[in-house]
Amino acid sequence: MNKAENNLLIAASGTGGHIFPALTIAEEVSDYWKITWLGINSRCEVDLVPKKYPLLMLDFETPSKKNIFLILQYLRIIFSAFRVLKIINQRKISLIFTTGGYISAPAIIAARISNIPIILHESNLEPGLVTKYFGRFCDYVLTGFKDTNKYLRQCRTSYTGT
């Protein structure tokens, strides 16, 4: 495949812990892959992601409220998968790379619907909720710590370090 056929969607948002590992991957593969970055409005990626990567935004917040509003926040995240599906089709995405966090959920859902491979990198020793629940739908879950595997028994994991 040439670069014109290699279209990578990176879904990384929120904090440097999610963004910087994804930036490292982007820099390593940018000679071979055309990269599109998926973020969330008003998060750190707005300032951290270089302008050479098109930055497309989803519009939802990290779930934080209690009661019925928490359910609505989770539904908004899940429904964001339709926006990601549109991006996948328009940009002819052939692979998705994500670093966990809530932005991973709609990316993983859209990837499964589109039958596109997805790689998730979990940098934390104990994975977050999205990695725990959605990691099993990823083709590979790469881990920053060897002991992370015990939290992800239903996932195809590989220890890579951070």
Side-chain angles (χ1 to χ4, degrees):
M1 273 192 191
N2 60 35
K3 187 173 178 176
E5 297 170 335
N6 292 337
N7 295 303
L8 173 64
L9 180 66
I10 294 179
S13 178
T15 65
H18 291 287
I19 297 168
F20 288 119
L23 281 171
T24 301
I25 294 298
E27 289 301 314
E28 285 294 317
V29 303
S30 63
D31 288 343
Y32 309 100
W33 290 82
K34 184 176 178 186
I35 296 170
T36 301
W37 200 286
L38 185 64
I40 298 174
N41 290 329
S42 69
R43 301 299 303 260
C44 293
E45 59 273 19
V46 173
D47 298 317
L48 295 176
V49 173
K51 300 294 182 219
K52 65 182 175 180
Y53 305 127
L55 180 59
L56 305 177
M57 301 302 229
L58 297 179
D59 187 25
F60 62 80
E61 298 173 8
T62 301
S64 61
K65 295 182 172 37
K66 305 273 189 229
N67 62 37
I68 190 77
F69 293 107
L70 180 63
I71 294 168
L72 293 173
Q73 287 176 319
Y74 281 126
L75 287 173
R76 194 167 187 181
I77 291 170
I78 291 168
F79 286 126
S80 293
F82 293 109
R83 169 84 168 109
V84 180
L85 278 169
K86 187 175 179 181
I87 292 167
I88 287 170
N89 290 327
Q90 287 176 338
R91 299 201 170 247
K92 297 179 175 50
I93 300 297
S94 52
L95 175 68
I96 296 177
F97 177 82
T98 188
T99 54
Y102 286 100
I103 195 152
S104 298
I108 292 168
I109 293 168
R112 288 298 77 172
I113 291 169
S114 301
N115 201 28
I116 292 172
I118 186 158
I119 299 170
L120 187 150
H121 185 273
E122 179 56 62
S123 296
N124 298 313
L125 175 62
E126 186 173 342
L129 287 174
V130 173
T131 302
K132 285 180 185 176
Y133 294 118
F134 287 87
R136 70 189 74 176
F137 302 111
C138 296
D139 293 276
Y140 291 98
V141 177
L142 311 176
T143 62
F145 296 91
K146 289 179 183 175
D147 290 342
T148 304
N149 295 345
K150 69 182 176 185
Y151 299 101
L152 301 171
R153 299 212 187 273
Q154 296 179 330
C155 301
R156 186 181 320 174
T157 60
S158 181
Y159 166 69
T160 59
T162 296

